[in-house]
Amino acid sequence: MSSPQQQQQSSTSSSLSSGSGSGKDKEDDGKQEQSSTSSNKTKTSKTPKTKSKSILPPPSRTRLVTIVAHVDHGKTTLADNLIESNGIISERLAGSVRYMDSLAEEQRRGITMRASSIGLRHSWGVPKNGHHQRRRRRGGNGGEKKGGGGEKGKENKGEKGEKDVRDLVIHLLDSPGHVDFSPEVTASLLLSDTALLVVDAVEGLCARTHSILRESYAARLVPILIVNKVDRLCGVAGGGGGMGLNEAEGYLRLRGLIESVNA
């Protein structure tokens, strides 16, 4: 028979042992939680972060181009043909659908009243062994003036004819030609990188064409001349709207037109 004191001592020792065991279990659980969190951190740190890519190219490969001209010189027809080159409209509808004239009043009157824009993709090739690169190589030492000889000369011959294809996005702006909507033209010229100046081969430079040229020079732009309706030079005079010129007379007419624009 055990005394009551011995029973109390055994109960206290068992409670202490159970308490120490529960404390060890808690420590083990805490260590497991810390190891699991650290492993999760390492897994998340190893996963690479994906960056969102833009659909449009960088600004260095983006151009803003506006089409300017006198009324009825063919701006919207030129815009239709450029849009057709990207496959947006069919070749049969180019020139008649007036794709950039989105207002109902524009379609009804047949003139452009508000400037509108569209993005077109253009690919162009840069020669890898172009003339400018050859001139750059010649600017070095005397031994490299003739291609360097040996392996360098072979590399240049192998690269000849290859091109580096680059993509551009051209935001094309179709501006009005009527004088009543001249603020639209001024805003388009201030926004653009360059301008396409369309001139009728028969009518030549008109009053609105001269004012557009002055505004382009004020905006520090160098317009690109596009002579439109060249077929009317040799067309039947009278009801056909042509001038009935022969080849020599048509050449002199075009040369005079270009000189008057550059004057």
Side-chain angles (χ1 to χ4, degrees):
M1 296 293 291
S2 60
S3 63
Q5 292 180 356
Q6 291 178 353
Q7 291 178 358
Q8 289 179 358
Q9 288 178 357
S10 61
S11 63
T12 53
S13 62
S14 62
S15 62
L16 289 172
S17 62
S18 62
S20 63
S22 62
K24 289 181 180 179
D25 293 338
K26 289 181 180 178
E27 289 179 358
D28 294 338
D29 294 337
K31 289 180 181 179
Q32 290 179 358
E33 290 178 356
Q34 289 179 358
S35 62
S36 62
T37 54
S38 62
S39 62
N40 291 330
K41 287 182 180 178
T42 54
K43 289 180 181 179
T44 55
S45 63
K46 288 181 181 180
T47 55
K49 295 182 179 179
T50 58
K51 296 182 179 179
S52 60
K53 295 182 179 179
S54 176
I55 299 175
L56 297 176
S60 59
R61 295 189 179 182
T62 304
R63 300 292 184 271
L64 274 72
V65 181
T66 182
I67 304 177
V68 291
H70 187 73
V71 63
D72 292 335
H73 276 205
K75 298 183 306 302
T76 307
T77 304
L78 175 63
D80 282 353
N81 284 274
L82 293 176
I83 294 170
E84 183 270 329
S85 65
N86 272 224
I88 300 175
I89 61 176
S90 63
E91 185 178 358
R92 181 176 56 85
L93 297 176
S96 60
V97 69
R98 303 180 66 88
Y99 189 82
M100 301 290 283
D101 293 343
S102 57
L103 298 178
E105 188 67 17
E106 291 178 334
Q107 293 287 342
R108 187 182 69 83
R109 299 176 62 178
I111 60 173
T112 304
M113 301 171 62
R114 296 290 299 273
S116 55
S117 62
I118 188 172
L120 302 177
R121 187 173 294 276
H122 174 65
S123 300
W124 59 291
V126 180
K128 292 184 178 180
N129 192 19
H131 180 64
H132 61 284
Q133 293 184 359
R134 290 197 297 269
R135 291 184 61 184
R136 191 181 302 172
R137 293 192 189 99
R138 291 175 185 175
N141 298 328
E144 297 179 357
K145 289 183 178 180
K146 296 182 179 179
E151 296 180 356
K152 293 184 179 179
K154 292 180 181 179
E155 290 177 358
N156 294 338
K157 290 180 181 179
E159 294 177 356
K160 188 176 181 180
E162 298 180 359
K163 290 185 178 181
D164 184 13
V165 179
R166 299 180 183 178
D167 293 332
L168 286 176
V169 170
I170 298 176
H171 296 280
L172 188 68
L173 282 79
D174 185 18
S175 61
H178 203 276
V179 68
D180 293 339
F181 311 106
S182 57
E184 298 281 338
V185 181
T186 305
S188 300
L189 291 173
L190 292 175
L191 290 173
S192 301
D193 298 318
T194 187
L196 302 178
L197 178 62
V198 184
V199 178
D200 193 331
V202 175
E203 296 183 5
L205 297 182
C206 300
R208 185 62 183 152
T209 311
H210 289 285
S211 62
I212 289 172
L213 280 173
R214 287 193 295 267
E215 291 182 8
S216 301
Y217 296 149
R220 297 182 179 180
L221 298 179
V222 180
I224 300 172
L225 176 62
I226 298 177
V227 182
N228 195 19
K229 304 180 183 180
V230 182
D231 54 338
R232 292 179 60 190
L233 293 177
C234 302
V236 179
M243 297 182 66
L245 304 179
N246 54 26
E247 295 179 359
E249 292 173 346
Y251 167 75
L252 293 175
R253 173 77 179 182
L254 292 176
R255 190 179 70 174
L257 178 61
I258 296 172
E259 289 177 354
S260 60
V261 172
N262 292 328

